[in-house]
Amino acid sequence: GDMKFFRSQTENRVVVMGYNTLVSLPNSKPLKNRVTVVLCPEGVEPEGCIVYHDFIKMVADFDEMAKDLFNNDSEKLMRSMIDLEQWSE
């Protein structure tokens, strides 16, 4: 059903979601083989995710990163999204 489609469409990609969507996933954990960016309430820090508490900051970071990645391939983008964890601290 829906979860099978979601998994097939997001594997090896970056997924951005809200906290409620994260907790709706199996075991309330991010799916494997994805970079998961989650917008969470203050004080909530789910493991295995790049966490943002401020939507504007998240969008600004993505915008800044996109300027650097415009011509890169998807593997480089995936690595850069993992590096985004450093930007969000």
Side-chain angles (χ1 to χ4, degrees):
D2 289 340
M3 181 54 75
K4 186 176 181 179
F5 177 78
F6 179 79
R7 286 180 180 196
S8 72
Q9 295 300 303
T10 62
E11 190 165 18
N12 299 314
R13 294 181 179 222
V14 176
V15 292
V16 179
M17 63 184 72
Y19 179 71
N20 289 338
T21 300
L22 175 68
V23 298
S24 75
L25 296 177
N27 301 315
S28 299
K29 301 218 181 255
L31 298 172
K32 293 179 182 175
N33 303 320
R34 290 151 187 86
V35 173
T36 304
V37 180
V38 183
L39 186 62
C40 295
E42 282 295 330
V44 177
E45 300 283 336
E47 218 173 284
C49 301
I50 298 171
V51 177
Y52 278 91
H53 302 291
D54 182 312
F55 179 78
I56 302 296
K57 171 135 176 55
M58 181 180 75
V59 171
D61 283 354
F62 285 170
D63 183 56
E64 187 63 32
M65 188 175 43
K67 291 174 187 169
D68 295 334
L69 299 174
F70 184 70
N71 290 317
N72 288 346
D73 64 18
S74 60
E75 182 180 344
K76 289 180 184 176
L77 177 60
M78 186 80 158
R79 279 195 223 124
S80 295
M81 288 301 295
I82 291 168
D83 291 342
L84 181 62
E85 199 165 11
Q86 298 170 14
W87 297 16
S88 64
E89 294 175 353

XYZ file of all heavy atoms in Angstrom:
716
model
N 0.804 -1.184 0.000
C 0.000 0.000 0.000
C 0.855 1.259 0.000
O 1.876 1.365 -0.673
N 0.415 2.190 0.784
C 1.056 3.503 0.849
C 2.494 3.440 1.339
O 3.369 4.124 0.809
C 0.263 4.451 1.747
C -1.054 4.873 1.133
O -1.190 4.764 -0.106
O -1.940 5.316 1.880
N 2.760 2.606 2.371
C 4.118 2.523 2.920
C 5.069 1.907 1.898
O 6.201 2.368 1.747
C 4.143 1.721 4.226
C 5.519 1.632 4.858
S 6.357 3.217 5.162
C 5.462 3.794 6.571
N 4.622 0.893 1.173
C 5.471 0.276 0.155
C 5.825 1.293 -0.933
O 6.975 1.393 -1.363
C 4.762 -0.932 -0.452
C 5.616 -1.717 -1.402
C 4.904 -2.966 -1.904
C 5.797 -3.740 -2.833
N 5.158 -4.964 -3.311
N 4.850 2.089 -1.355
C 5.089 3.131 -2.355
C 6.067 4.170 -1.808
O 7.017 4.559 -2.488
C 3.770 3.796 -2.760
C 3.957 4.920 -3.735
C 4.184 4.650 -5.079
C 3.906 6.239 -3.324
C 4.369 5.685 -5.993
C 4.091 7.279 -4.223
C 4.324 6.994 -5.559
N 5.842 4.623 -0.572
C 6.719 5.607 0.050
C 8.155 5.084 0.099
O 9.092 5.784 -0.266
C 6.230 5.945 1.466
C 7.094 6.936 2.182
C 6.990 8.288 1.913
C 8.016 6.521 3.138
C 7.792 9.215 2.576
C 8.821 7.429 3.804
C 8.702 8.782 3.520
N 8.322 3.855 0.527
C 9.670 3.278 0.608
C 10.330 3.222 -0.761
O 11.495 3.562 -0.916
C 9.607 1.882 1.216
C 9.352 1.911 2.691
C 9.292 0.528 3.271
N 9.037 0.631 4.701
C 9.218 -0.353 5.547
N 9.635 -1.525 5.119
N 8.968 -0.181 6.826
N 9.588 2.810 -1.769
C 10.187 2.686 -3.108
C 10.559 4.052 -3.691
O 11.533 4.164 -4.428
C 9.245 1.947 -4.058
O 8.138 2.750 -4.405
N 9.806 5.077 -3.359
C 10.051 6.396 -3.917
C 11.117 7.190 -3.171
O 11.656 8.156 -3.706
C 8.752 7.210 -3.950
C 7.702 6.637 -4.865
C 8.172 6.565 -6.303
O 8.563 7.557 -6.894
N 8.169 5.371 -6.875
N 11.421 6.793 -1.926
C 12.336 7.595 -1.109
C 13.673 6.931 -0.830
O 14.569 7.589 -0.303
C 11.686 7.955 0.238
O 11.395 6.754 0.965
C 10.422 8.777 0.029
N 13.845 5.673 -1.204
C 15.110 4.995 -0.907
C 16.273 5.722 -1.567
O 16.189 6.154 -2.711
C 15.076 3.534 -1.364
C 16.274 2.774 -0.851
C 16.122 1.279 -0.958
O 15.256 0.805 -1.726
O 16.874 0.586 -0.278
N 17.356 5.887 -0.796
C 18.570 6.591 -1.229
C 18.311 8.059 -1.564
O 18.974 8.626 -2.417
C 19.231 5.879 -2.407
C 19.653 4.482 -2.034
O 20.249 4.267 -0.982
N 19.319 3.525 -2.868
N 17.357 8.643 -0.892
C 17.020 10.050 -1.099
C 16.931 10.767 0.241
O 17.006 10.163 1.297
C 15.683 10.189 -1.822
C 15.742 9.667 -3.228
C 14.434 9.834 -3.906
N 14.561 9.346 -5.270
C 14.048 9.961 -6.301
N 13.367 11.067 -6.165
N 14.201 9.459 -7.511
N 16.731 12.043 0.159
C 16.500 12.866 1.345
C 14.995 13.000 1.523
O 14.278 13.303 0.561
C 17.139 14.260 1.165
C 16.816 15.157 2.355
C 18.638 14.130 0.963
N 14.517 12.764 2.737
C 13.102 12.957 3.032
C 12.974 14.012 4.128
O 13.734 14.016 5.090
C 12.380 11.651 3.433
C 12.281 10.703 2.260
C 13.054 10.958 4.585
N 12.046 14.918 3.944
C 11.780 15.980 4.911
C 10.372 15.758 5.422
O 9.439 15.574 4.635
C 11.902 17.377 4.255
C 11.609 18.472 5.272
C 13.273 17.554 3.627
N 10.229 15.760 6.751
C 8.915 15.487 7.331
C 8.773 16.188 8.669
O 9.763 16.619 9.266
C 8.705 13.986 7.497
C 9.674 13.305 8.449
S 9.472 11.504 8.545
C 10.100 10.994 6.967
N 7.553 16.259 9.125
C 7.275 16.749 10.465
C 7.396 15.609 11.468
O 7.423 14.428 11.104
N 7.444 15.971 12.727
C 7.615 14.994 13.794
C 6.480 13.970 13.819
O 6.712 12.774 13.997
C 7.723 15.712 15.144
C 7.883 14.768 16.294
C 9.071 14.061 16.474
C 6.853 14.563 17.196
C 9.212 13.178 17.521
C 6.989 13.689 18.248
C 8.176 12.997 18.416
O 8.312 12.113 19.459
N 5.247 14.405 13.604
C 4.119 13.466 13.638
C 4.240 12.402 12.556
O 3.857 11.250 12.766
C 2.788 14.204 13.519
C 2.463 14.987 14.762
O 2.961 14.702 15.846
N 1.637 16.004 14.621
N 4.766 12.779 11.402
C 4.974 11.788 10.340
C 6.053 10.796 10.754
O 5.913 9.591 10.560
C 5.346 12.473 9.017
O 4.273 13.350 8.656
C 5.585 11.463 7.911
N 7.126 11.301 11.373
C 8.193 10.404 11.839
C 7.636 9.365 12.806
O 7.914 8.180 12.662
C 9.320 11.200 12.504
C 10.429 10.340 13.123
C 11.221 9.614 12.035
C 11.340 11.177 13.990
N 6.859 9.801 13.783
C 6.359 8.838 14.774
C 5.327 7.886 14.182
O 5.032 6.846 14.777
C 5.824 9.519 16.058
C 6.931 10.280 16.769
C 4.641 10.402 15.778
N 4.809 8.193 12.995
C 3.874 7.271 12.345
C 4.600 6.147 11.592
O 3.977 5.173 11.184
C 2.949 8.023 11.385
O 3.632 8.390 10.193
N 5.921 6.294 11.415
C 6.704 5.256 10.740
C 6.918 4.077 11.676
O 6.814 4.226 12.898
C 8.061 5.822 10.298
C 8.011 6.943 9.262
C 9.426 7.459 8.982
C 7.352 6.487 7.977
N 7.230 2.893 11.131
C 7.469 1.725 11.990
C 8.510 2.032 13.064
O 9.580 2.572 12.779
C 7.986 0.664 11.005
C 7.406 1.074 9.684
C 7.373 2.587 9.715
N 8.180 1.718 14.308
C 9.040 1.937 15.478
C 9.358 3.415 15.716
O 10.286 3.738 16.449
C 10.344 1.138 15.372
C 10.094 -0.352 15.248
O 9.267 -0.905 15.978
N 10.779 -0.979 14.326
N 8.632 4.311 15.052
C 8.856 5.762 15.182
C 10.296 6.146 14.877
O 10.858 7.058 15.465
C 8.483 6.241 16.597
O 7.130 6.001 16.858
N 10.905 5.431 13.951
C 12.295 5.671 13.575
C 12.377 5.930 12.078
O 11.549 5.457 11.312
C 13.150 4.465 13.934
C 13.125 4.121 15.408
C 14.468 3.692 15.858
C 14.427 3.327 17.316
N 15.017 4.284 18.168
N 13.428 6.672 11.656
C 13.580 6.903 10.212
C 13.831 5.595 9.479
O 14.397 4.645 10.042
C 14.792 7.834 10.125
C 15.515 7.691 11.411
C 14.502 7.274 12.429
N 13.385 5.525 8.236
C 13.620 4.343 7.426
C 15.092 4.274 7.019
O 15.756 5.307 6.874
C 12.733 4.371 6.182
C 11.232 4.366 6.455
C 10.469 4.586 5.157
C 10.799 3.070 7.109
N 15.592 3.074 6.823
C 16.990 2.891 6.429
C 17.220 3.409 5.012
O 16.304 3.481 4.204
C 17.359 1.407 6.486
C 17.355 0.848 7.884
C 17.692 -0.621 7.884
C 17.622 -1.146 9.302
N 17.823 -2.581 9.369
N 18.480 3.729 4.740
C 18.925 4.159 3.408
C 18.290 5.472 2.955
O 18.016 5.667 1.779
C 18.682 3.066 2.361
C 19.365 1.780 2.717
O 20.492 1.787 3.200
N 18.695 0.665 2.510
N 18.062 6.368 3.903
C 17.541 7.693 3.605
C 18.182 8.692 4.554
O 18.538 8.338 5.669
C 16.026 7.763 3.835
C 15.233 6.981 2.819
C 13.927 6.491 3.438
N 13.257 5.600 2.519
C 13.505 4.293 2.430
N 14.422 3.743 3.182
N 12.852 3.543 1.575
N 18.302 9.919 4.133
C 18.634 11.005 5.041
C 17.301 11.609 5.434
O 16.537 12.038 4.569
C 19.536 12.059 4.365
C 19.727 13.254 5.277
C 20.876 11.452 3.973
N 17.003 11.598 6.723
C 15.706 12.064 7.205
C 15.869 13.383 7.943
O 16.577 13.468 8.945
C 15.072 11.014 8.140
O 14.993 9.766 7.436
C 13.682 11.439 8.576
N 15.226 14.411 7.420
C 15.215 15.736 8.031
C 13.840 15.907 8.666
O 12.824 15.708 8.004
C 15.464 16.836 6.981
C 15.445 18.213 7.632
C 16.781 16.595 6.240
N 13.832 16.249 9.968
C 12.567 16.329 10.691
C 12.423 17.681 11.377
O 13.337 18.142 12.059
C 12.468 15.214 11.759
C 11.126 15.254 12.460
C 12.691 13.849 11.153
N 11.277 18.308 11.184
C 10.927 19.531 11.893
C 10.206 19.114 13.166
O 9.165 18.455 13.105
C 10.027 20.405 11.015
C 9.690 21.780 11.557
C 10.957 22.628 11.724
C 8.719 22.481 10.621
N 10.815 19.428 14.319
C 10.310 18.946 15.610
C 10.017 20.093 16.568
O 10.602 21.165 16.451
C 11.370 18.070 16.283
S 11.754 16.563 15.431
N 9.179 19.806 17.566
C 8.989 20.788 18.634
C 10.296 20.960 19.414
O 11.120 20.032 19.450
C 7.916 20.156 19.526
C 7.329 19.035 18.741
C 8.345 18.627 17.728
N 10.470 22.113 20.040
C 11.652 22.348 20.876
C 11.795 21.224 21.899
O 10.802 20.743 22.440
C 11.538 23.688 21.621
C 11.838 24.891 20.782
C 13.285 24.978 20.297
O 14.211 24.498 20.977
O 13.477 25.526 19.201
N 13.024 20.802 22.122
C 13.300 19.777 23.121
C 13.163 18.355 22.606
O 13.492 17.406 23.314
N 12.676 18.174 21.394
C 12.529 16.838 20.818
C 13.681 16.620 19.846
O 13.877 17.415 18.925
C 11.172 16.687 20.097
C 11.063 15.329 19.438
C 10.027 16.914 21.064
N 14.462 15.564 20.072
C 15.654 15.289 19.268
C 15.663 13.812 18.852
O 16.382 13.009 19.431
C 16.922 15.595 20.078
C 17.044 17.017 20.553
C 17.476 17.968 19.456
O 18.108 17.517 18.484
O 17.177 19.168 19.587
N 14.869 13.425 17.858
C 14.853 12.011 17.466
C 16.211 11.560 16.930
O 16.882 12.289 16.200
C 13.783 11.933 16.382
C 13.433 13.317 16.025
C 13.982 14.241 17.048
N 16.585 10.364 17.305
C 17.868 9.796 16.896
C 17.857 9.420 15.421
O 16.846 8.983 14.881
C 18.130 8.531 17.732
C 19.565 8.359 18.132
C 19.720 7.209 19.087
O 19.365 7.368 20.272
O 20.193 6.139 18.636
N 18.999 9.604 14.779
C 19.142 9.185 13.392
C 18.569 10.152 12.374
O 18.414 9.804 11.206
N 18.249 11.371 12.816
C 17.645 12.371 11.938
C 18.435 13.668 12.008
O 19.119 13.942 12.989
C 16.211 12.682 12.382
S 15.106 11.272 12.412
N 18.311 14.467 10.981
C 18.753 15.852 11.043
C 17.546 16.615 11.564
O 16.471 16.567 10.965
C 19.178 16.366 9.662
C 20.367 15.553 9.155
C 19.503 17.854 9.723
C 20.739 15.833 7.713
N 17.715 17.268 12.702
C 16.583 17.872 13.400
C 16.611 19.394 13.275
O 17.652 20.019 13.466
C 16.601 17.473 14.897
C 15.470 18.142 15.655
C 16.518 15.962 15.038
N 15.462 19.938 12.962
C 15.251 21.383 12.973
C 14.082 21.684 13.890
O 13.118 20.915 13.950
C 14.922 21.906 11.571
C 16.138 22.121 10.721
C 16.619 21.106 9.914
C 16.813 23.339 10.738
C 17.751 21.285 9.142
C 17.947 23.529 9.961
C 18.405 22.498 9.167
O 19.528 22.694 8.401
N 14.176 22.818 14.588
C 13.082 23.290 15.430
C 12.467 24.556 14.837
O 11.474 25.054 15.349
C 13.577 23.561 16.847
C 14.187 22.352 17.483
N 13.454 21.251 17.856
C 15.470 22.054 17.768
C 14.263 20.338 18.362
N 15.486 20.801 18.313
N 13.073 25.057 13.777
C 12.641 26.308 13.178
C 12.523 26.127 11.663
O 13.519 25.867 10.988
C 13.682 27.386 13.518
C 13.334 28.755 12.987
O 12.978 28.870 11.793
O 13.451 29.717 13.747
N 11.315 26.255 11.156
C 11.064 26.047 9.729
C 11.858 27.022 8.868
O 12.443 26.640 7.858
C 9.561 26.186 9.444
C 9.222 26.020 7.996
C 9.176 24.756 7.433
C 8.941 27.111 7.200
C 8.865 24.579 6.098
C 8.629 26.954 5.857
C 8.592 25.682 5.306
N 11.907 28.289 9.278
C 12.615 29.309 8.497
C 14.103 28.965 8.399
O 14.709 29.076 7.332
C 12.410 30.719 9.107
C 10.924 31.070 9.181
C 13.205 31.764 8.345
C 10.221 31.187 7.844
N 14.702 28.520 9.496
C 16.121 28.140 9.481
C 16.332 26.941 8.559
O 17.300 26.893 7.806
C 16.615 27.816 10.889
C 18.007 27.202 10.903
C 18.897 27.794 11.929
C 20.253 27.148 12.025
N 21.052 27.071 10.836
N 15.436 25.983 8.622
C 15.557 24.807 7.766
C 15.540 25.218 6.294
O 16.405 24.808 5.514
C 14.425 23.810 8.052
C 14.488 22.553 7.213
S 13.143 21.396 7.578
C 11.778 22.226 6.764
N 14.583 26.045 5.921
C 14.475 26.483 4.527
C 15.707 27.295 4.132
O 16.252 27.119 3.042
C 13.174 27.280 4.307
C 13.156 27.935 2.940
C 11.967 26.367 4.487
N 16.185 28.148 5.020
C 17.372 28.952 4.729
C 18.592 28.067 4.520
O 19.392 28.297 3.600
C 17.627 29.949 5.857
N 18.757 27.038 5.352
C 19.886 26.118 5.190
C 19.790 25.367 3.869
O 20.780 25.206 3.163
C 19.964 25.125 6.346
C 20.533 25.731 7.612
O 20.991 26.900 7.584
O 20.529 25.025 8.640
N 18.587 24.904 3.524
C 18.411 24.203 2.249
C 18.713 25.125 1.083
O 19.338 24.733 0.114
C 16.996 23.660 2.111
C 16.704 22.444 2.934
C 15.411 21.980 3.050
C 17.703 21.740 3.582
C 15.124 20.846 3.793
C 17.428 20.619 4.326
C 16.138 20.172 4.437
N 18.269 26.365 1.182
C 18.510 27.332 0.121
C 20.009 27.572 -0.044
O 20.520 27.579 -1.161
C 17.784 28.643 0.434
C 17.935 29.657 -0.682
O 17.586 29.329 -1.835
O 18.402 30.766 -0.401
N 20.714 27.739 1.054
C 22.159 27.967 1.008
C 22.871 26.749 0.421
O 23.747 26.870 -0.424
C 22.686 28.270 2.416
C 24.124 28.690 2.454
C 24.396 29.996 1.710
O 23.524 30.886 1.667
O 25.504 30.116 1.153
N 22.458 25.568 0.853
C 23.080 24.349 0.353
C 22.792 24.163 -1.135
O 23.669 23.754 -1.885
C 22.571 23.146 1.128
C 23.309 21.892 0.788
S 22.816 20.504 1.793
C 21.066 20.672 1.837
N 21.599 24.492 -1.573
C 21.240 24.323 -2.987
C 22.131 25.168 -3.879
O 22.473 24.755 -4.988
C 19.772 24.674 -3.200
N 22.533 26.330 -3.401
C 23.430 27.180 -4.188
C 24.756 26.470 -4.440
O 25.347 26.605 -5.507
C 23.684 28.496 -3.457
C 22.476 29.385 -3.387
C 22.752 30.604 -2.530
C 21.475 31.395 -2.331
N 21.631 32.428 -1.317
N 25.213 25.705 -3.436
C 26.480 24.993 -3.558
C 26.357 23.706 -4.368
O 27.337 23.192 -4.882
C 27.020 24.620 -2.168
C 27.385 25.840 -1.347
O 27.695 26.887 -1.958
O 27.345 25.748 -0.120
N 25.152 23.173 -4.475
C 24.976 21.838 -5.050
C 24.285 21.833 -6.404
O 23.983 20.779 -6.939
C 24.140 20.977 -4.097
C 24.762 20.756 -2.735
C 23.783 20.031 -1.841
C 26.046 19.973 -2.860
N 24.035 22.978 -6.958
C 23.196 23.078 -8.147
C 23.580 22.092 -9.243
O 22.732 21.453 -9.829
C 23.221 24.511 -8.679
C 22.304 24.716 -9.835
C 20.935 24.702 -9.661
C 22.807 24.894 -11.109
C 20.080 24.875 -10.731
C 21.965 25.069 -12.183
C 20.594 25.066 -11.989
N 24.866 21.917 -9.519
C 25.286 21.051 -10.617
C 25.824 19.692 -10.166
O 26.378 18.957 -10.970
C 26.355 21.755 -11.463
C 25.765 22.895 -12.246
O 24.694 22.754 -12.817
N 26.450 24.017 -12.266
N 25.666 19.349 -8.904
C 26.199 18.080 -8.414
C 25.230 16.931 -8.669
O 24.032 17.122 -8.785
C 26.488 18.173 -6.916
C 27.690 19.032 -6.624
O 28.454 19.354 -7.525
N 27.868 19.405 -5.389
N 25.782 15.720 -8.696
C 24.913 14.549 -8.887
C 24.258 14.153 -7.570
O 24.583 14.682 -6.514
C 25.690 13.387 -9.505
C 26.802 12.853 -8.605
O 26.784 13.113 -7.391
O 27.668 12.163 -9.137
N 23.354 13.196 -7.618
C 22.564 12.850 -6.438
C 23.406 12.239 -5.318
O 23.098 12.434 -4.150
C 21.426 11.912 -6.817
O 21.936 10.727 -7.386
N 24.466 11.531 -5.649
C 25.309 10.967 -4.593
C 25.971 12.082 -3.791
O 26.028 12.039 -2.566
C 26.378 10.051 -5.188
C 27.246 9.395 -4.129
C 28.305 8.494 -4.718
O 28.209 8.128 -5.904
O 29.242 8.160 -3.978
N 26.441 13.109 -4.490
C 27.043 14.249 -3.793
C 25.986 14.969 -2.958
O 26.261 15.422 -1.857
C 27.687 15.213 -4.785
C 28.949 14.677 -5.413
C 29.519 15.685 -6.385
C 30.735 15.127 -7.093
N 31.240 16.061 -8.105
N 24.782 15.082 -3.491
C 23.704 15.725 -2.754
C 23.421 14.956 -1.469
O 23.274 15.534 -0.409
C 22.441 15.821 -3.610
C 21.213 16.405 -2.935
C 21.482 17.831 -2.466
C 20.033 16.381 -3.890
N 23.363 13.634 -1.562
C 23.104 12.807 -0.387
C 24.183 13.038 0.664
O 23.889 13.228 1.838
C 23.063 11.332 -0.822
C 22.680 10.396 0.253
S 20.908 10.423 0.458
C 20.691 8.840 1.226
N 25.441 13.051 0.240
C 26.537 13.291 1.190
C 26.425 14.676 1.803
O 26.665 14.862 2.993
C 27.890 13.136 0.497
C 28.295 11.702 0.375
C 29.777 11.596 0.034
N 29.896 10.567 -0.983
C 30.450 10.713 -2.159
N 31.017 11.837 -2.492
N 30.491 9.726 -3.012
N 26.053 15.650 1.003
C 25.923 17.010 1.510
C 24.782 17.122 2.510
O 24.862 17.871 3.477
C 25.709 17.983 0.363
O 26.844 18.005 -0.456
N 23.708 16.393 2.278
C 22.595 16.418 3.225
C 23.032 15.810 4.551
O 22.630 16.281 5.609
C 21.384 15.661 2.669
C 20.680 16.384 1.554
S 20.068 18.003 2.016
C 18.857 17.547 3.235
N 23.865 14.773 4.496
C 24.377 14.196 5.736
C 25.237 15.244 6.449
O 25.161 15.412 7.659
C 25.170 12.913 5.446
C 24.206 11.828 4.963
C 25.936 12.446 6.681
C 24.873 10.613 4.363
N 26.024 16.004 5.685
C 26.827 17.069 6.270
C 25.965 18.186 6.844
O 26.407 18.933 7.706
C 27.786 17.662 5.230
C 28.880 16.690 4.845
O 29.113 15.724 5.596
O 29.497 16.899 3.779
N 24.721 18.298 6.395
C 23.822 19.339 6.894
C 23.635 19.202 8.392
O 23.366 20.185 9.074
C 22.473 19.239 6.169
C 21.405 20.267 6.543
C 21.893 21.666 6.197
C 20.127 19.959 5.820
N 23.818 17.998 8.924
C 23.685 17.780 10.350
C 24.574 18.765 11.107
O 24.183 19.297 12.145
C 24.084 16.343 10.671
C 23.588 15.843 11.986
C 23.698 14.335 12.084
O 24.343 13.701 11.227
O 23.126 13.812 13.018
N 25.745 19.041 10.587
C 26.646 19.998 11.222
C 26.053 21.406 11.163
O 26.220 22.188 12.089
C 28.006 19.989 10.539
C 28.706 18.669 10.618
C 29.932 18.630 9.737
O 30.405 19.662 9.266
N 30.457 17.449 9.493
N 25.356 21.743 10.080
C 24.797 23.082 9.900
C 23.646 23.335 10.873
O 23.346 24.460 11.202
C 24.258 23.275 8.502
C 25.246 23.191 7.390
C 26.508 22.681 7.441
C 25.059 23.633 6.066
N 27.096 22.769 6.210
C 26.225 23.350 5.349
C 23.994 24.234 5.416
C 26.374 23.654 4.014
C 24.140 24.533 4.070
C 25.313 24.250 3.390
N 22.966 22.265 11.285
C 21.742 22.450 12.058
C 21.997 22.494 13.562
O 21.076 22.611 14.330
C 20.739 21.337 11.727
O 21.240 20.085 12.124
N 23.245 22.407 13.971
C 23.547 22.422 15.406
C 23.531 23.822 15.949
O 23.765 24.779 15.304
C 24.907 21.758 15.664
C 24.874 20.295 15.334
C 26.225 19.630 15.464
O 27.250 20.318 15.678
O 26.268 18.411 15.338
